[in-house]
């Protein structure tokens, strides 16, 4: 019975002109979006390599200079483009691609792709993740909304029941017939993306295991939609009603629930405004040591402590340049201030994430979206990780420069110039994104919610449904 039902459903789908057109459109959209994304990926990677090499060359060749001047001259930390961003670009478009590293200040990432676009960007981009997250669930609705209602409308359901066939066999046959085309499309997309990424000259951290996990995430997402559409169809008396209800589920799951979750999370755990954030940092900075101001109260206290520690009467008797030492202590104070305020931002972000996970019980879209971005290394967590790595590098860079200034000059000697080789000795900024195991651990709540959706929808479909 399962086999006969499967063959019947597949044959009907193959003969239906609407299905052929829908499949053709989805495949064309996926092909175009993958081609566009691969071009963007190649272009961005090329720009990243050129900018990184150019910036390093500028840093290495700045000539003899005072180390503190070099600290203010600064350099850039560039965020690499990750291979699976070809499938899911996540927040990369909005989060910025580079961070300016300089003395005294922790800067935000800048030069985001969205900032360079015109108002037409409000219409959205054609990307593979848009097709995978929004269009394929819609395709499932269009393929399966009348799976049971057509049997009811043609009165063939009565004939099937009169033969004493178990409902679960009929359900399984229809489920398999609806799921198979979706499985084929998803497999083509994922394998196609893997082949493209494998043949790129610089596919960096790309791993088939990450792509395999992404495939499983989307398959689970589609299975939930297949189950929901079949449940609606089995409960509806008419195909028109089933279509409307299925579309309503699609709209709520893919559009309403994510927007509502975003607004609710932002209301419950709001970020401070940019002005408030900057003002709070400036206030805390002023209350501590100012490395540039020798008359600062904290600077005078530091001076007394150092003189006492080295048992000397004058700063000129110290074995190092106290000006540079004071600036390093000022940098350490600034780093603590930034750590405190960015830690608060992180706590707000984590609070919002918990709200999202809690509301993911309303829609399978939310855990799928977060898992997809996480595995593709294009989520906010990865951006935070990159931002923290850049700040850690900035702190070490300032310590390196201030220590060179302190060690090779005496107090008051601002004419000291470090050799050009000094800049080359500073290691270049390197960043490795979180590994798959860490990503999955970090998204364990999303995995649990998605699995709960999977099992719950299966249970409801096969256990509670009684065909009438």
């Amino acid at each position: 019975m399962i086999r006969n039902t499967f063959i019947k459903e597949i044959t009907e789908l193959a003969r239906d002109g609407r299905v052929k057109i829908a499949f053709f459109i989805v495949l064309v959209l996926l092909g175009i979006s993958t081609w566009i994304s691969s071009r963007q990926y190649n272009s961005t990677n090329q720009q990243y390599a050129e900018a990184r090499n150019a910036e390093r060359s500028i840093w290495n060749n700045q000539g003899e200079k005072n180390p503190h001047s070099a600290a203010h001259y600064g350099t850039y930390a560039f965020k690499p483009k990750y291979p699976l961003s070809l499938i899911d670009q996540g927040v990369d478009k909005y989060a910025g691609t580079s961070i300016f590293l300089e003395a005294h200040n922790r800067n935000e990432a800048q030069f985001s792709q969205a900032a360079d676009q015109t108002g037409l960007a409000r219409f959205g981009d054609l990307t593979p993740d848009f097709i995978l997250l929004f269009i394929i669930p819609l395709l499932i609705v269009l393929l399966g909304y009348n799976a049971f209602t057509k049997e009811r409308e043609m009165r063939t359901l009565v004939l099937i029941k009169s033969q004493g066939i178990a409902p679960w066999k009929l359900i399984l046959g229809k489920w398999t017939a609806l799921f198979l085309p979706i499985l084929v499309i998803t497999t083509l997309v994922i394998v196609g993306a893997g082949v493209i990424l494998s043949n790129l000259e610089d596919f960096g951290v790309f791993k088939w295991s990450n792509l395999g996990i992404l495939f499983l995430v989307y398959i689970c997402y589609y299975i939930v939609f297949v189950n929901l559409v079949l449940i609606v169809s089995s409960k509806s008396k008419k195909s028109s009603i089933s279509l409307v209800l299925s579309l309503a589920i699609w709209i709520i799951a893919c559009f309403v629930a994510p927007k509502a979750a975003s607004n609710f999370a932002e209301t419950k755990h709001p970020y401070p405004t940019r002005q408030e954030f900057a003002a709070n940092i400036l206030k805390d900075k002023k209350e501590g040591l100012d490395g540039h101001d020798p008359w600062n109260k904290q600077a005078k206290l530091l001076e007394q402590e150092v003189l006492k520690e080295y048992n000397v009467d004058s700063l000129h008797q110290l074995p190092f340049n106290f000006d540079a030492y004071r600036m390093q202590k000022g940098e350490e104070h600034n780093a603590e201030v930034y750590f405190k305020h960015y830690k608060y931002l992180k706590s707000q972000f984590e609070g919002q994430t918990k709200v999202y996970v809690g509301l993911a019980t309303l829609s399978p879209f939310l855990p799928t979206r977060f898992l997809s971005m996480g595995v593709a290394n294009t989520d906010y967590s990865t951006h935070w990780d990159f931002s923290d790595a850049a700040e850690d590098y900035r702190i070490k860079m300032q310590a390196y420069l201030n220590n060179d200034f302190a060690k090779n000059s005496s107090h008051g000697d601002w004419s000291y110039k470090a050799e050009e080789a000094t800049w080359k000795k500073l290691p270049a900024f390197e960043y490795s994104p979180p590994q798959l195991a860490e990503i999955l651990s970090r998204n364990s709540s999303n995995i649990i919610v998605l699995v709960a959706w999977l099992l719950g929808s299966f249970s409801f479909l096969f256990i509670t449904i009684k065909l009438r």
Side-chain angles (χ1 to χ4, degrees):
M1 180 60 194
I2 297 173
R3 181 172 173 272
N4 291 337
T5 305
F6 171 76
I7 293 174
K8 170 184 169 293
E9 292 293 326
I10 285 291
T11 304
E12 288 181 0
L13 288 175
R15 289 175 179 171
D16 193 333
R18 295 170 300 174
V19 173
K20 292 178 183 176
I21 293 173
F23 262 92
F24 176 74
I25 292 173
V26 169
L27 286 174
V28 168
L29 289 176
L30 278 170
I32 293 174
S33 61
T34 304
W35 177 72
I36 293 173
S37 291
S38 63
R39 284 177 61 85
Q40 287 179 344
Y41 176 75
N42 278 329
S43 173
T44 305
N45 256 359
Q46 186 179 355
Q47 291 175 16
Y48 167 77
E50 291 174 357
R52 189 169 181 269
N53 293 335
E55 188 61 28
R56 186 63 189 179
S57 176
I58 291 172
W59 173 262
N60 287 342
N61 297 294
Q62 52 186 318
E64 293 184 354
K65 183 184 287 185
N66 184 283
H68 194 63
S69 298
H72 277 288
Y73 184 69
T75 187
Y76 279 90
F78 294 98
K79 185 179 178 182
K81 190 80 171 170
Y82 304 111
L84 290 186
S85 64
L86 185 144
I87 295 177
D88 193 337
Q89 297 189 14
V91 301
D92 277 1
K93 179 180 174 183
Y94 308 97
T97 56
S98 58
I99 298 177
F100 181 53
L101 309 175
E102 61 173 337
H104 314 312
N105 296 313
R106 175 175 180 171
N107 296 308
E108 297 287 337
Q110 51 188 329
F111 305 118
S112 66
Q113 184 184 344
D116 296 332
Q117 292 183 316
T118 65
L120 293 176
R122 298 290 298 173
F123 290 103
D125 295 327
L126 181 62
T127 56
D129 60 296
F130 173 74
I131 308 296
L132 292 169
L133 284 165
F134 294 93
I135 302 302
I136 290 186
L138 178 62
L139 181 63
I140 293 173
V141 170
L142 297 179
L143 294 181
Y145 76 93
N146 62 348
F148 289 101
T149 51
K150 66 183 177 185
E151 305 283 1
R152 194 168 286 120
E153 290 169 343
M154 293 188 296
R155 299 186 182 282
T156 52
L157 190 60
V158 178
L159 294 175
I160 294 172
K161 288 171 63 180
S162 66
Q163 294 175 3
I165 297 170
W168 71 267
K169 291 183 178 178
L170 181 63
I171 294 171
L172 186 57
K174 288 183 178 292
W175 186 93
T176 309
L178 180 56
F179 176 66
L180 182 64
I182 304 302
L183 177 65
V184 170
I185 288 180
T186 311
T187 304
L188 286 175
V189 173
I190 297 297
V191 172
V195 170
I196 291 173
L197 290 170
S198 299
N199 285 284
L200 293 177
E201 289 183 4
D202 179 17
F203 57 90
V205 293
F206 169 67
K207 295 177 181 175
W208 279 96
S209 57
N210 293 43
L211 195 62
I213 293 296
L214 204 60
F215 173 75
L216 290 177
V217 168
Y218 279 109
I219 287 299
C220 290
Y221 179 55
Y222 299 145
I223 288 176
V224 172
F225 263 95
V226 168
N227 294 345
L228 293 176
V229 170
L230 290 181
I231 289 170
V232 171
S233 182
S234 67
K235 296 287 185 182
S236 302
K237 292 182 180 179
K238 294 182 179 179
S239 295
S240 56
I241 296 174
S242 175
L243 177 60
V244 171
L245 291 176
S246 298
L247 285 175
I249 290 175
W250 174 71
I251 292 170
I252 292 171
C254 296
F255 295 97
V256 178
K259 287 291 182 186
S262 176
N263 290 341
F264 185 66
E266 197 170 328
T267 302
K268 194 169 183 182
H269 299 281
Y271 285 121
T273 63
R274 183 173 290 276
Q275 290 78 8
E276 289 173 344
F277 187 66
N280 291 336
I281 288 175
L282 185 60
K283 178 173 177 285
D284 282 356
K285 275 186 172 182
K286 286 181 176 177
E287 292 177 353
L289 176 62
D290 183 351
H292 269 299
D293 182 8
W295 307 107
N296 176 266
K297 179 182 176 182
Q298 300 298 329
K300 298 305 288 183
L301 289 174
L302 177 68
E303 181 180 321
Q304 293 171 10
E305 288 175 6
V306 172
L307 290 175
K308 184 178 180 182
E309 180 182 351
Y310 283 86
N311 196 25
V312 294
D313 300 326
S314 168
L315 294 175
H316 292 280
Q317 297 174 356
L318 291 172
F320 52 84
N321 187 337
F322 182 75
D323 288 334
Y325 180 81
R326 186 184 60 246
M327 283 190 294
Q328 175 55 28
K329 291 298 178 183
E331 286 293 342
E332 292 172 8
H333 166 67
N334 289 342
E336 289 177 3
V337 170
Y338 281 114
F339 177 79
K340 170 189 169 185
H341 289 279
Y342 276 86
K343 186 180 179 183
Y344 173 72
L345 285 187
K346 270 188 177 181
S347 69
Q348 295 301 93
F349 164 70
E350 289 167 357
Q352 291 189 1
T353 302
K354 288 180 181 176
V355 172
Y356 280 124
V357 172
L359 294 176
T361 53
L362 301 176
S363 166
F365 177 93
L366 289 169
T368 305
R369 172 91 258 197
F370 283 115
L371 280 167
S372 177
M373 290 194 300
V375 175
N377 287 318
T378 57
D379 60 347
Y380 266 121
S381 295
T382 303
H383 185 72
W384 270 112
D385 197 55
F386 164 74
S387 179
D388 287 345
E391 174 63 5
D392 186 56
Y393 179 81
R394 187 189 74 83
I395 292 171
K396 290 177 181 174
M397 172 184 166
Q398 299 308 315
Y400 171 78
L401 295 173
N402 284 327
N403 289 340
D404 179 87
F405 189 13
K407 182 179 176 182
N408 297 303
S409 63
S410 57
H411 180 61
D413 181 15
W414 282 88
S415 62
Y416 165 70
K417 292 183 178 179
E419 297 177 352
E420 192 174 44
T422 304
W423 324 126
K424 296 179 181 176
K425 291 178 183 176
L426 179 69
F429 173 72
E430 299 286 348
Y431 173 69
S432 297
Q435 297 299 306
L436 182 60
E438 182 183 348
I439 293 169
L440 295 179
S441 173
R442 200 167 56 200
N443 285 278
S444 57
S445 300
N446 289 315
I447 294 173
I448 292 171
V449 173
L450 188 59
V451 170
W453 266 102
L454 189 71
L455 298 178
S457 60
F458 259 129
S459 302
F460 198 85
L461 178 64
F462 283 95
I463 297 176
T464 65
I465 287 182
K466 294 180 181 178
L467 300 176
R468 293 171 294 165

